[in-house]
Amino acid sequence: MERIEQHASWGGRQEVWKHASSALGVEMKVGVYLPPAALAGQACPVLYWLSGLTCTEQNFITKAGAQQFAAAHNIILVAPDTSPRGEGVANDDAYDLGQGAGFYLNATQAPWASHFRMEDYVTQELPALVAKHFVTTGKQSIFGHSMGGHGALTLALRHPGLYQSVSAFSPIVAPSQVPWGQKAFTAYLGEDQAQWAAHDAVALIAKAQERLPLLVDQGLQDDFLDSQLQPGLLEAAAKASNHPLTLRLQPGYDHSYYFIASFMEEHIAHHAAYLK
Amino acid sequence: MERIEQHASWGGRQEVWKHASSALGVEMKVGVYLPPAALAGQACPVLYWLSGLTCTEQNFITKAGAQQFAAAHNIILVAPDTSPRGEGVANDDAYDLGQGAGFYLNATQAPWASHFRMEDYVTQELPALVAKHFVTTGKQSIFGHSMGGHGALTLALRHPGLYQSVSAFSPIVAPSQVPWGQKAFTAYLGEDQAQWAAHDAVALIAKAQERLPLLVDQGLQDDFLDSQLQPGLLEAAAKASNHPLTLRLQPGYDHSYYFIASFMEEHIAHHAAYLK
C-alpha cells in the first residue's frame, strides 16, 4: 500500500492509498479516513462505503460529508473504487457496465471474469490490507449508494457474521428485476437467471441465515426510483421473511450526494451503535 | 433568473440558477442554498461565498458541507462562479488569469475590461437579483477561500456598511506582494501599483473606515502558505491599525476543501451571530 493523498480533515486525516490487488489483477485506489482516535494510536472499527455507478474512490470522500461523523464516533471509513480499471481491463462504452460498474460480485463470464472480482476484493483482500496497515478493533460494517447499496446489502446477506451492521442509500434492491441489474448480471454471470438470485438482495432475504437489521433511505424524487430501485420489493421481501428492515422514504430527495450527505449523520450513528 | 438545478439538502434546497449579467455581459451561474425557513416563506439573511482560482459555482456547493450549518442558522448561501466565461470572453492559458480567475475586481485594462467586472457583479448586481428572487431580511455577510478570501476581505473593506461580517479561509491577503496577485493586478489594473493598493486587504486595512472584525483560518500545511498567502502580513497590518482580527493557524491543514469543510461550522456560526 502506498499513500498518494493525505488531507487533515475534522481533526483526523483523509487519505487515498493505491495498491496492487491480487483479487482484481490491477492497481486499485481506496480512500481511508482516519479519525482523531486512530491518529492517536487507538484501535478503531472500520466502516466500508461502496459507491455507485461511474464513481471512483473520490466521490464519497469529497462529497458525502462523512468525515465529521466518523471523527465523532472514532470510526475508520474505507471507500474503494467501484471496479478494476486500466487499459488491460475489459470495458464497455456504456456507463453501467465494465469499468466503474463492478456490481460487487465475481464475474464468471468472458471477458469480465479475469479482473471483475469485486466481491473477493471487498470482503477478503481489502479487509486484510486494512487490518495490516491500520490499527483496528476487528469489527466492521458496510454501507453504500445505489449500485453500492446493492453491494452493501448483498455482501452482508451473503457473508453472515462478516459485518456488524449494514445500511444503504437508494440501493438497487432487486437487480434481477430491473434494467441496470439485468444488463450487468447477463454480462457478468451469464444468461442463467438461477445464478442471479445469489446476488440479489430481495432474493437473498428469503434465505438469510442472519437477521441483520437493514437500514435503507430512499429519496422520493429519485429519477431512478420506479425504473431501477423499487424499494417496495425489498419491503415486501423483508415482510415475507420477517427480516428486520427500516425503510425510510424521504420526500423531496433525489439520487445525488446532496441526499446522501443529508442523512449521513444518522447512518454513521446507526453503524457506531453496532461497532462499539 | 432561471433555475437549472435543484436538490433537497438538509431539509432545505440546493439550487443553481443562471442569468444574464449586465455587469459582466455574459450568462452567469450561481449556487443558492435555501434553508428550511426560506422554503417555509420566512425572510432569511444572505451569506455570500467567493471561491478560489479555477473554481465554478459547483465546488463550494458539492464539497464544503455548508448546507447543514446554513440550515441550522436559517441562512441563505449564495455562491457565484469566479469570473465571466465563454467564447467571447478574454482568457489566458494559465489557471491563474482570465476565466476562473476574476479576482473580484473591475478590470481597467484591455482585453479584460469589457467583461471582468466581478466587483460590480458581487456587490451590486447579484444582491439585487437575490433580493428580487428570494425573501431576505436585507442583511448580508461574505466569506471565501484563497482568491475568494481576498475577494471577501477586499470587498468588505472597500464597501463599509455593505456586509454585517466577513471571514476567509486561506486568503490572499496581500496580492500586491505575491506572484498570483502581481500577475493578475498587472493584467487587470495595469503597471501602476498605486492602483493595486485599492484591492489589497493589507493595504486597505490601514485606511479602513469601518472596524469590521476579520475572522481568518489558515492551514499550516498549505502548499501556498509562504509563496502566495503570507497571513503574517495581515496580522501585522491589523496590529498596526488596531483592526480587529482573529487569525487562526491550523496545524496539519492544507489548501483543500477538506480544510474548508472542517471549519465551516465555526465560520457560519460567526456570521450567524452578526446576521441576526
Side-chain angles (χ1 to χ4, degrees), chain A residues 57-74:
Chain A
E57 85 289 348
Q58 289 290 323
N59 300 65
F60 174 77
I61 67 176
T62 58
K63 295 185 177 179
Q67 292 91 351
Q68 61 188 297
F69 308 118
H73 291 289
N74 291 323

Side-chain angles (χ1 to χ4, degrees), chain A residues 211-229:
Chain A
R211 292 271 171 256
L212 197 63
L214 312 180
L215 169 62
V216 173
D217 272 304
Q218 173 63 57
L220 289 179
Q221 291 300 311
D222 189 320
D223 285 341
F224 304 109
L225 180 60
D226 295 330
S227 56
Q228 307 280 7
L229 304 176

Side-chain angles (χ1 to χ4, degrees), chain B:
Chain B
M1 297 254 281
E2 181 193 347
R3 188 169 55 191
I4 56 174
E5 265 189 59
Q6 58 174 319
H7 312 276
S9 168
W10 289 91
R13 197 162 60 222
Q14 179 63 56
E15 304 182 339
V16 177
W17 292 74
K18 68 176 181 182
H19 67 93
S21 165
S22 55
L24 303 172
V26 296
E27 186 173 82
M28 287 291 283
K29 292 181 185 171
V30 55
V32 178
Y33 178 71
L34 299 173
L39 296 188
Q42 291 177 41
C44 294
V46 179
L47 177 54
Y48 289 87
W49 170 266
L50 304 181
S51 285
L53 290 166
T54 77
C55 289
T56 70
E57 86 290 347
Q58 288 291 324
N59 300 64
F60 174 76
I61 67 177
T62 56
K63 294 184 179 182
Q67 292 92 350
Q68 62 187 298
F69 308 117
H73 292 288
N74 290 325
I75 292 172
I76 296 172
L77 295 172
V78 176
D81 199 351
T82 54
S83 80
R85 295 181 191 270
E87 286 190 10
V89 177
N91 202 5
D92 189 277
D93 288 339
Y95 75 97
D96 55 1
L97 189 65
Q99 298 183 31
F103 272 82
Y104 305 103
L105 50 74
N106 296 337
T108 59
Q109 306 297 302
W112 311 105
S114 50
H115 291 289
F116 283 75
R117 303 183 60 82
M118 286 296 289
E119 180 169 10
D120 284 356
Y121 176 67
V122 171
T123 61
Q124 296 174 31
E125 185 177 19
L126 193 52
L129 278 168
V130 167
K132 185 176 170 190
H133 288 272
F134 306 98
V135 183
T136 75
T137 63
K139 289 192 176 179
Q140 58 186 12
S141 291
I142 193 164
F143 67 157
H145 173 235
S146 195
M147 175 183 75
H150 145 78
L153 295 175
T154 57
L155 295 184
L157 288 163
R158 284 171 59 78
H159 299 274
L162 190 59
Y163 301 108
Q164 302 295 315
S165 51
V166 58
S167 74
F169 295 85
S170 347
I172 305 171
V173 301
S176 305
Q177 302 182 51
V178 301
W180 275 341
Q182 290 165 340
K183 177 179 179 178
F185 283 10
T186 301
Y188 297 144
L189 302 173
E191 302 279 350
D192 177 9
Q193 298 196 13
Q195 304 299 317
W196 298 6
H199 300 278
D200 181 305
V202 161
L204 285 165
I205 275 187
K207 50 175 185 169
Q209 301 166 36
E210 186 187 37
R211 292 269 171 257
L212 196 63
L214 313 179
L215 169 62
V216 173
D217 272 303
Q218 173 63 56
L220 290 179
Q221 291 299 312
D222 189 321
D223 285 342
F224 304 109
L225 180 59
D226 295 330
S227 57
Q228 306 281 7
L229 305 175
Q230 302 191 33
L233 295 173
L234 186 68
E235 192 170 33
K239 193 172 182 182
S241 299
N242 198 27
H243 194 109
L245 165 68
T246 302
L247 171 62
R248 309 191 306 185
L249 304 175
Q250 305 287 4
Y253 286 89
D254 62 19
H255 201 66
S256 70
Y257 267 86
Y258 293 107
F259 166 56
I260 295 169
S262 299
F263 296 96
M264 183 53 64
E265 181 171 15
E266 294 171 42
H267 279 246
I268 290 185
H270 170 80
H271 292 290
Y274 287 86
L275 287 167
K276 270 183 184 156

Side-chain angles (χ1 to χ4, degrees), chain A:
Chain A
M1 296 255 282
E2 180 191 349
R3 189 168 57 191
I4 57 174
E5 266 191 58
Q6 58 174 318
H7 312 277
S9 169
W10 289 91
R13 198 162 59 223
Q14 180 63 56
E15 305 182 337
V16 178
W17 292 75
K18 69 176 182 183
H19 67 93
S21 165
S22 56
L24 303 172
V26 297
E27 186 173 81
M28 287 292 283
K29 292 181 184 172
V30 55
V32 178
Y33 178 70
L34 299 173
L39 297 186
Q42 290 176 43
C44 294
V46 179
L47 177 56
Y48 288 88
W49 171 266
L50 303 183
S51 284
L53 289 166
T54 77
C55 289
T56 70
E57 85 289 348
Q58 289 290 323
N59 300 65
F60 174 77
I61 67 176
T62 58
K63 295 185 177 179
Q67 292 91 351
Q68 61 188 297
F69 308 118
H73 291 289
N74 291 323
I75 291 171
I76 296 172
L77 294 172
V78 176
D81 199 351
T82 53
S83 80
R85 294 180 192 271
E87 287 190 9
V89 177
N91 202 4
D92 189 277
D93 288 341
Y95 74 97
D96 55 2
L97 188 65
Q99 298 184 31
F103 273 82
Y104 304 104
L105 50 74
N106 296 338
T108 58
Q109 305 297 302
W112 311 106
S114 50
H115 291 291
F116 284 74
R117 302 184 60 81
M118 287 296 289
E119 180 169 12
D120 284 355
Y121 176 67
V122 170
T123 60
Q124 296 176 28
E125 184 177 18
L126 193 52
L129 278 167
V130 167
K132 184 176 170 189
H133 288 271
F134 306 99
V135 182
T136 75
T137 61
K139 288 191 176 179
Q140 59 185 12
S141 291
I142 192 163
F143 67 156
H145 172 237
S146 195
M147 175 183 74
H150 145 76
L153 295 175
T154 55
L155 295 185
L157 288 163
R158 284 171 58 78
H159 299 274
L162 190 59
Y163 301 108
Q164 301 295 315
S165 51
V166 58
S167 74
F169 296 86
S170 345
I172 307 171
V173 301
S176 305
Q177 301 183 49
V178 301
W180 276 341
Q182 290 165 339
K183 178 177 179 179
F185 283 8
T186 302
Y188 297 143
L189 302 173
E191 303 280 351
D192 177 11
Q193 298 197 15
Q195 303 300 317
W196 299 6
H199 300 278
D200 182 304
V202 161
L204 285 165
I205 274 187
K207 49 174 187 171
Q209 301 165 34
E210 186 188 37
R211 292 271 171 256
L212 197 63
L214 312 180
L215 169 62
V216 173
D217 272 304
Q218 173 63 57
L220 289 179
Q221 291 300 311
D222 189 320
D223 285 341
F224 304 109
L225 180 60
D226 295 330
S227 56
Q228 307 280 7
L229 304 176
Q230 302 192 33
L233 295 174
L234 186 68
E235 192 170 33
K239 193 171 182 182
S241 300
N242 199 28
H243 195 109
L245 165 69
T246 302
L247 171 63
R248 310 191 308 184
L249 303 176
Q250 305 286 2
Y253 286 88
D254 63 19
H255 201 65
S256 70
Y257 267 87
Y258 294 107
F259 165 56
I260 296 169
S262 298
F263 296 95
M264 183 53 64
E265 181 172 15
E266 295 170 42
H267 280 246
I268 291 186
H270 170 79
H271 291 291
Y274 287 87
L275 287 167
K276 269 185 184 152

